[in-house]
Amino acid sequence: GVMSFQSSEKSAAPRRRRAKVSLFAQGEPMIWLTGGGLAVALCMITGLLALIFYNGIATLWPVAVPQFQTLDGSVYMGEVTRAETFRSNDAEVQILHRKLVRTGNYEISGEHFTWISDHDVKMETRPEWALVIERTAWGRFYGFPEGFTLGSDTAAATPEAAWKAFNQYHNAVRERREKIRELETHEIGRVNRRLEKARLDLREVELRAGKDSPAWQAEQVKFLKTEKEVTAEFGTIQEEIVRLRAENSRYVLNLKTAQGRAVAMPLENIVRAYPANQLSILGKAGIYFSRWHEFLFDEPREANSEGGVFPAIFGTVIMTLLMSLAVVPFGVMAALYLREYAKPGLIVSAVRISINNLAGVPSIVFGVFGLGFFC
C-alpha cells in the first residue's frame, strides 16, 4: 500500500522540462557547412574533369569547312575553331558576333587563323570539294583539287579523278616516306656509330702507346678498313634514299586555294587529307581515330603543334621505371631507419617534415614553383 501511494505521488508530481540545447551547441550547422563544402568541391572537380574530357574528345573530331565572302571582296576558307561576341565602337551596331577561322596556307597568307565578323560576311557557303590537308610542314592547307600529275603526265583533270588518284597512290608514297625516315635516322646513325667507335679505339691506342707503336699501326689498318666499309655502306644508303625520293616526287596533287591561287603539292608532304564537307559519320569517325593513333604513337612535328606525343610518353615511362628501380631500395632502407633506429632530433624532424610535404603536395606544384623561382 505504501509503495502504491508513493508511485501515485510521483506520478502526480509535475514532470521536469528538458532544457533546450542549441543546434549550434551540438555542431549540426557546422556539419552541414563542412559537408556542403565537400559536396561543392566534388561538384567542382567533377565539372572540371568533364570539361577537360569534352574539350579533349572534341578537339580531334573533323568539322565542316565553310567559305566566307566578305563585303570588301575577300574570300576565306577554313575550319571554325571558336566564336565570340564583342562590343563594337560603331554607334549603330554595338554587339557583334565573330568567328575565329583556321585558314591555314601559312606559306601563302603568313597566318594560320583569321577573325571574321558576321557583320562583314556577304555570303557563306560550304563547297563540296573543300579539302583539309594535314602536312609534314607549314601546318594545314585548305583548297580544292584541280588535277593529279604522275611524273610528266597528267593522270587526272577533274576534282573527282584527282581525289581518286590521291587515294590510289598516297599509301604507297607514305610507306616510302617512312622508309626514308628509317634510313636517315636508324641506318645512317648505325653506320656513323660504327665509324665513330673505330675512331675512338684508334685514339685510345694513340694515347696509350703513341703513334709510333706497332699497336697503333695495327689499329690504324683496322680503322682504315672500317672507314672504307662504312663509306661504301653509307653510299648505298644514300642511293636508296635518293631513289625513294625521286619516286615520291613523281606524285603531285594540283590544288587551288579559295583565292584562286594554284598550288602543286607533292604527296610526300601530305600526312592526311579529306573532303570535309562530304564526310559521313563513319568517315568522320575514321579520321577521328586515325588522329588519336597519330597523337599517341607518332612523333611531334611543326614545333610540337602537330603530330603525336609518343616520345614524351615513352620517356616518362622509362624515367619512372628507372627511378623506381633506383629509389625503392634506398627508400625502404631509409624508412626502416627513420622508423626503427633514428633518434629524435632536428635532422630527423626536418626529414620527416620534408617527407610529409612531398607526400601531400603534387609534384607538378613543385615543378611549377621551381620553374617560376629559377627561370
Side-chain angles (χ1 to χ4, degrees), residues 160-191:
E160 295 85 354
W163 180 244
K164 183 179 180 180
F166 170 81
N167 291 323
Q168 179 181 354
Y169 296 111
H170 183 244
N171 288 333
V173 171
R174 184 173 57 185
E175 291 177 359
R176 285 191 289 268
R177 183 181 65 203
E178 293 298 325
K179 180 64 176 178
I180 292 173
R181 183 172 173 273
E182 181 182 355
L183 291 174
E184 290 178 338
T185 57
H186 295 88
E187 296 300 319
I188 292 181
R190 178 183 58 79
V191 171

Side-chain angles (χ1 to χ4, degrees), residues 42 60 265 293:
L42 291 177
L60 302 180
M265 186 173 298
H293 183 273

Side-chain angles (χ1 to χ4, degrees), residues 72-110:
D72 60 358
S74 301
V75 179
Y76 303 94
M77 188 174 71
E79 298 170 282
V80 178
T81 58
R82 73 173 188 264
E84 66 179 22
T85 58
F86 66 99
R87 185 174 296 274
S88 173
N89 295 326
D90 192 350
E92 297 180 358
V93 183
Q94 290 293 328
I95 303 298
L96 295 177
H97 187 268
R98 65 179 182 179
K99 301 181 180 72
L100 182 61
V101 181
R102 185 173 188 172
T103 53
N105 305 2
Y106 184 79
E107 71 276 20
I108 299 175
S109 62

Side-chain angles (χ1 to χ4, degrees), residues 68-252:
F68 302 93
Q69 183 177 356
T70 58
L71 297 175
D72 60 358
S74 301
V75 179
Y76 303 94
M77 188 174 71
E79 298 170 282
V80 178
T81 58
R82 73 173 188 264
E84 66 179 22
T85 58
F86 66 99
R87 185 174 296 274
S88 173
N89 295 326
D90 192 350
E92 297 180 358
V93 183
Q94 290 293 328
I95 303 298
L96 295 177
H97 187 268
R98 65 179 182 179
K99 301 181 180 72
L100 182 61
V101 181
R102 185 173 188 172
T103 53
N105 305 2
Y106 184 79
E107 71 276 20
I108 299 175
S109 62
E111 55 186 10
H112 292 287
F113 296 87
T114 302
W115 282 105
I116 300 178
S117 175
D118 291 352
H119 185 261
D120 298 330
V121 174
K122 179 180 179 181
M123 182 174 59
E124 177 180 346
T125 58
R126 290 192 177 183
E128 180 184 6
W129 281 105
L131 290 185
V132 179
I133 301 177
E134 301 174 17
R135 302 179 288 177
T136 57
W138 297 104
R140 297 187 184 181
F141 186 92
Y142 300 92
F144 306 101
E146 291 290 303
F148 193 90
T149 303
L150 184 58
S152 58
D153 301 328
T154 301
T158 62
E160 295 85 354
W163 180 244
K164 183 179 180 180
F166 170 81
N167 291 323
Q168 179 181 354
Y169 296 111
H170 183 244
N171 288 333
V173 171
R174 184 173 57 185
E175 291 177 359
R176 285 191 289 268
R177 183 181 65 203
E178 293 298 325
K179 180 64 176 178
I180 292 173
R181 183 172 173 273
E182 181 182 355
L183 291 174
E184 290 178 338
T185 57
H186 295 88
E187 296 300 319
I188 292 181
R190 178 183 58 79
V191 171
N192 289 333
R193 184 167 60 251
R194 181 184 174 190
L195 180 62
E196 183 66 10
K197 184 179 182 303
R199 187 189 68 82
L200 292 177
D201 292 341
L202 179 63
R203 179 61 175 167
E204 181 181 359
V205 174
E206 178 185 349
L207 294 175
R208 185 178 66 249
K211 288 187 176 182
D212 298 330
S213 64
W216 184 85
Q217 294 177 0
E219 190 67 28
Q220 186 185 29
V221 172
K222 183 179 178 181
F223 170 76
L224 293 176
K225 180 181 178 182
T226 302
E227 185 180 28
K228 183 178 179 180
E229 294 176 353
V230 165
T231 302
E233 190 174 0
F234 183 80
T236 303
I237 296 174
Q238 287 290 351
E239 290 177 359
E240 180 67 11
I241 292 176
V242 171
R243 185 189 68 81
L244 292 174
R245 284 181 174 168
E247 178 64 20
N248 274 353
S249 64
R250 298 176 60 242
Y251 304 91
V252 178

